[in-house]
Amino acid sequence: MEGSKILNQIALDNSKSKSGKHGIRSFLFQVDSNLIVDISSSPGDEVPPTYKVGESRLVEIPKGHVVYLYLVKNMKGMVKGRALVIKDNKVILVMNYRKLKLKRVEGDPNALEPLKRVIEYLKIPVKKINTS
């Protein structure tokens, strides 16, 4: 992958607007061969959240396969987002989530398996996955 990014820290945002019409949720999971570990609650440095109500912090990314999900809900209740598959602090797959579909933006489509397992674990509805 050309220009693959190296990440050491990532922001985990869990906030919503005062009215409750907008919101952001982000998750961080470590995926092993048969185990999914939620590391979203790991300690980190506090940073200002995107919206007024909630919290946000900067956490260290552990080694191994890590899946990062960033989901945003708008006024109409529609959810959009981004999913990253990170291996040893290197981003190997970037996908967008929109209209219940996952679409590959860049990266290796063979690295999709950890992301599929996390989406199944969280019971996020997905109609179609486009890896081309």
Side-chain angles (χ1 to χ4, degrees), residues 12-16 24-26 49-51 53-57:
L12 292 176
D13 198 347
N14 182 11
S15 63
K16 63 180 182 178
I24 289 181
R25 267 300 275 185
S26 54
T50 305
Y51 294 111
V53 180
E55 63 178 10
S56 180
R57 45 184 202 291

Side-chain angles (χ1 to χ4, degrees), residues 4-5 11 17 30 33 68-72 75 83 108:
S4 64
K5 299 174 193 155
S17 62
Q30 185 156 21
S33 57
Y68 173 69
L69 287 171
Y70 181 84
L71 301 170
V72 179
M75 274 178 73
D108 182 15

Side-chain angles (χ1 to χ4, degrees), residues 51-90:
Y51 294 111
K52 206 71 166 157
V53 180
E55 63 178 10
S56 180
R57 45 184 202 291
L58 220 52
V59 296
E60 294 287 324
I61 298 176
K63 296 285 183 192
H65 275 91
V66 177
V67 175
Y68 173 69
L69 287 171
Y70 181 84
L71 301 170
V72 179
K73 184 187 84 159
N74 66 11
M75 274 178 73
K76 296 179 182 176
M78 296 174 70
V79 177
K80 294 180 184 180
R82 197 163 200 120
L84 304 176
V85 178
I86 305 165
K87 182 179 181 184
D88 298 327
N89 293 2
K90 228 177 205 178

Side-chain angles (χ1 to χ4, degrees), residues 95-104 112 116 119 124-132:
M95 297 194 82
N96 278 345
Y97 179 75
R98 184 173 165 260
K99 294 185 177 180
L100 304 180
K101 297 175 194 149
L102 276 171
K103 183 178 179 183
R104 184 176 69 90
L112 186 64
K116 278 185 181 177
I119 285 176
I124 295 174
V126 174
K127 286 184 188 174
K128 183 179 175 184
I129 297 176
N130 183 357
T131 57
S132 58

